[in-house]
Amino acid sequence: MSQPRSSYAVGTGLFIVLGFAALAYLATQTTSIANVHQGASYTVEAHFANIGQLKDRAPVKIAGVRVGQVESIGLASGQDAADVKLSIDKRYDKIPLDSVASIYTSGLLGDQYIGIEYGHSKKVVADGGTLALTKPAQQLEAMLGKFFGAGGVADNLGGTYTVSARFSNVGTLSVGAPVKMAGVPIGSVQAVQVDPVKLDAKVTMAIDKRYNQIPDDSAAAVFTSGLIGTQYVAIQPGGSPDVLKNGSQLILTQSAMQLEDLIGKFLVNGSSSGSSKSSNTPSGKH
Amino acid sequence: MNPRKRTGGNVVIQSLEQIGNGGLFLLTLLAAIPRSLRYFRETIRQLWFVGAMSLTIIMVCGLFVGMVLMLQLYHVLSIFGSTSASGMVVALAVYRELGPVVTALLFAGRAGTAITAEIGLMRATDQIDAMELMAVDPIAYVATPRFLAGLIAMPLLTCVFCAMAIFGAHLVGVTWLGIDNGTFWSNMTAVVNLRTDIVNGVLLKSLAFGLVVSLIAVYQGFATPPTSEGVAYATTRTVVASSIAILALDFVLTAFLM
């Protein structure tokens, strides 16, 4: 600190200038000024059956070009639908009334945004108007959502009862995996053991006591949530008047599918039988 | 000014006493701001000392934090084939947490200790008492300028730290590892938000940290037992108390701001 007195002031001034320059750099170069800056805009409403992971300030795009953002998301009063308010730039005020608003995902794992495809109506949507035609978040998103959330296991508040099932192949099914019926978790896998005599896998499942009306000829299958998600046991109800009891065994089972079979099935559009055959000749079915 | 009674024993009571004394001291400092305007040059000199002189360490550390973050993220994200997202993750991590916290920790080590030791030595050598005899208010002349300087310097230093971290991430990611330059910036700008990340993350947090660190440093200086051992003790306390306060406050602020 041997500098003459005045150089303190100069050095400090330089320091302050540098600090503010850094701030300006951060604010302008690394943030989306466009996300914050909104010129004159008008508001349009759209109702969606399901908005997936859409968030406030998500972009609104026409032909891929950003024209506005999501202003607010709420539940439409008295309806099982989401009410999404879109704030759209005044420059783009020629949106036909019968345009379709859809929820898309940028990339496979990206954020969701709203895309608007123009309709053919001569009337344009006005400030405060509503886009009546919408498409909810797509099915693939639901599958990817399952991949992240991996289904939830039902609570065991009401107590559980145990049933078992034998599979020739359980894939990567593990203890704790959910047991689902009609897609709803009703229990969890308690144990996966291999039978040393029959050489198959014995899966013990704890099912919530609330679901005690499951027919005893129901089928158990090992499914995968989404494309790359975890595996779970799905129970498909049968038609028998007798119900499953503690210690029952499910006779009808379907083992875990190989991904190759699954893709084969997709390609031939859902032939339920002979998955191995169809994966060998996927085009023969058409 | 007799903040520490070494009653020993109950740690909780002692901590509460420290916090209470610190709070009262903060009010004293704030009340002294109008009086310390007479010593404006002193504030500038302190700002030069705690701010401008800390620039080197802040810039070097920011650069390396950005570089190492980028290196780590690149290797993890390459498993998922999404290395282009690493720039954006670096930006978010630095703006929201690492920038303010690391800058505050460095600031406590670099400037906080110096403030405590200087004031402590002033006390040990009776300079504070001498000022009072000469009718110079030691709070307005010694304490408040240092406190204000720390308060002003922290946000500026944090901005510099963040800018250097981004620069370091760009250096490693784009220049070295070959991430596309356009993807790097566009991913970053698509996600970083001016209000939640820059204003709440960088500015608000660093301002809060600056307040806490400068307060602790000045307070510990004035609370120093006037011995050479006391100065060492107070300096250590500044670092320990600042670090704990920064990390705890960071959690609270993040919980409130997110």
Side-chain angles (χ1 to χ4, degrees):
Chain A
M1 282 203 281
S2 53
Q3 275 83 356
R5 182 166 255 267
S6 64
S7 77
Y8 289 140
V10 176
T12 313
L14 270 176
F15 164 62
I16 293 175
V17 168
L18 186 67
F20 276 105
L23 176 62
Y25 170 76
L26 295 182
T28 55
Q29 295 303 305
T30 71
T31 71
S32 41
I33 293 294
N35 286 1
V36 178
H37 170 73
Q38 280 273 307
S41 64
Y42 65 104
T43 311
V44 174
E45 273 182 45
H47 296 287
F48 290 93
N50 186 347
I51 57 162
Q53 318 287 322
L54 191 74
K55 293 187 189 72
D56 279 359
R57 293 202 301 275
V60 176
K61 296 182 179 181
I62 294 175
V65 180
R66 188 194 166 91
V67 296
Q69 63 180 359
V70 172
E71 196 173 275
S72 70
I73 298 172
L75 208 55
S77 56
Q79 282 180 52
D80 176 20
D83 179 18
V84 179
K85 282 195 171 60
L86 314 176
S87 156
I88 297 176
D89 200 307
K90 264 271 184 340
R91 285 176 295 172
Y92 311 106
D93 58 350
K94 296 279 190 289
I95 300 175
L97 200 54
D98 60 346
S99 300
V100 181
S102 317
I103 297 180
Y104 292 119
T105 308
S106 14
L108 258 182
L109 303 171
D111 274 345
Q112 290 192 306
Y113 66 92
I114 292 187
I116 297 177
E117 287 103 51
Y118 273 17
H120 302 289
S121 172
K122 290 277 183 291
K123 279 188 232 162
V124 297
V125 66
D127 188 15
T130 303
L131 285 174
L133 301 175
T134 62
K135 278 189 215 153
Q138 300 292 311
Q139 203 55 43
L140 178 65
E141 274 82 75
M143 283 160 75
L144 288 168
K146 272 189 193 153
F147 163 49
F148 288 116
V153 176
D155 52 7
N156 292 339
L157 284 180
T160 59
Y161 64 99
T162 315
V163 298
S164 61
R166 288 172 176 279
F167 296 93
S168 60
N169 183 357
V170 291
T172 58
L173 189 73
S174 56
V175 173
V179 176
K180 296 184 179 184
M181 194 163 71
V184 181
I186 60 169
S188 60
V189 171
Q190 267 195 330
V192 181
Q193 293 152 324
V194 69
D195 188 317
V197 181
K198 292 188 180 172
L199 299 179
D200 58 2
K202 185 184 178 201
V203 175
T204 314
M205 294 166 277
I207 295 178
D208 198 305
K209 277 226 172 89
R210 283 177 296 178
Y211 310 105
N212 56 1
Q213 298 294 316
I214 304 172
D216 66 352
D217 63 343
S218 300
V222 179
F223 282 171
T224 309
S225 8
L227 267 181
I228 35 183
T230 54
Q231 291 191 304
Y232 65 95
V233 178
I235 296 195
Q236 292 142 344
S240 165
D242 300 323
V243 296
L244 283 175
K245 293 188 182 61
N246 196 21
S248 305
Q249 188 177 348
L250 291 162
I251 308 297
L252 298 171
T253 62
Q254 187 188 339
S255 292
M257 272 209 227
Q258 304 300 313
L259 183 63
E260 289 79 7
D261 295 350
L262 219 74
I263 293 172
K265 250 188 170 177
F266 276 138
L267 289 181
V268 299
N269 206 1
S271 67
S272 56
S273 65
S275 54
S276 60
K277 197 171 49 183
S278 59
S279 69
N280 287 340
T281 56
S283 55
K285 287 274 171 185
H286 284 286
Chain B
M1 299 305 329
N2 182 21
R4 181 180 292 119
K5 294 182 206 76
R6 307 203 73 190
T7 48
N10 200 325
V11 179
V12 177
I13 299 282
Q14 261 192 342
S15 324
L16 283 178
E17 190 191 353
Q18 292 277 337
I19 292 173
N21 283 332
L24 288 177
F25 193 71
L26 176 62
L27 293 183
T28 320
L29 284 179
L30 294 179
I33 289 179
R35 278 178 285 147
S36 74
L37 286 181
R38 267 190 301 162
Y39 310 114
F40 183 70
R41 288 202 74 87
E42 178 64 11
T43 307
I44 295 295
R45 201 180 71 90
Q46 289 303 328
L47 189 57
W48 186 80
F49 177 66
V50 300
M53 295 282 280
S54 303
L55 266 180
T56 325
I57 184 174
I58 293 292
M59 287 174 84
V60 172
C61 290
L63 187 70
F64 280 115
V65 164
M67 284 167 75
V68 80
L69 262 184
M70 190 63 180
L71 207 53
Q72 288 280 6
L73 279 168
Y74 183 87
H75 288 298
V76 174
L77 289 177
S78 63
I79 299 172
F80 305 103
S82 49
T83 50
S84 55
S86 45
M88 136 197 136
V89 182
V90 170
L92 289 182
V94 167
Y95 292 165
R96 291 184 183 174
E97 297 297 335
L98 283 174
V101 170
V102 176
T103 310
L105 291 175
L106 289 171
F107 186 77
R110 161 67 182 72
T113 51
I115 291 174
T116 306
E118 191 184 6
I119 300 178
L121 211 62
M122 282 183 182
R123 265 184 72 83
T125 52
D126 292 332
Q127 293 181 47
I128 302 282
D129 295 337
M131 278 182 204
E132 273 171 2
L133 283 180
M134 292 190 294
V136 174
D137 182 358
I139 295 290
Y141 183 68
V142 176
T144 304
R146 285 168 173 75
F147 172 76
L148 283 181
L151 197 62
I152 297 167
M154 255 302 289
L156 297 174
L157 287 174
T158 307
C159 288
V160 174
F161 183 95
C162 293
M164 286 309 286
I166 298 300
F167 176 70
H170 185 266
L171 198 69
V172 170
V174 176
T175 316
W176 187 14
L177 296 172
I179 298 174
D180 182 65
N181 189 35
T183 326
F184 180 89
W185 291 115
S186 65
N187 272 338
M188 198 183 285
T189 52
V191 170
V192 176
N193 187 287
L194 184 69
R195 196 163 49 96
T196 56
D197 294 325
I198 302 284
V199 177
N200 278 1
V202 176
L203 292 181
L204 217 68
K205 267 189 182 178
S206 60
L207 206 62
F209 293 160
L211 185 127
V212 169
V213 173
S214 328
L215 177 65
I216 290 176
V218 176
Y219 170 73
Q220 292 292 349
F222 270 90
T224 306
T227 59
S228 48
E229 190 194 11
V231 174
Y233 180 69
T235 313
T236 310
R237 278 198 75 104
T238 298
V239 176
V240 175
S242 299
S243 307
I244 295 173
I246 289 162
L247 294 173
L249 189 66
D250 181 49
F251 177 77
V252 175
L253 282 178
T254 305
F256 275 106
L257 294 177
M258 286 298 274

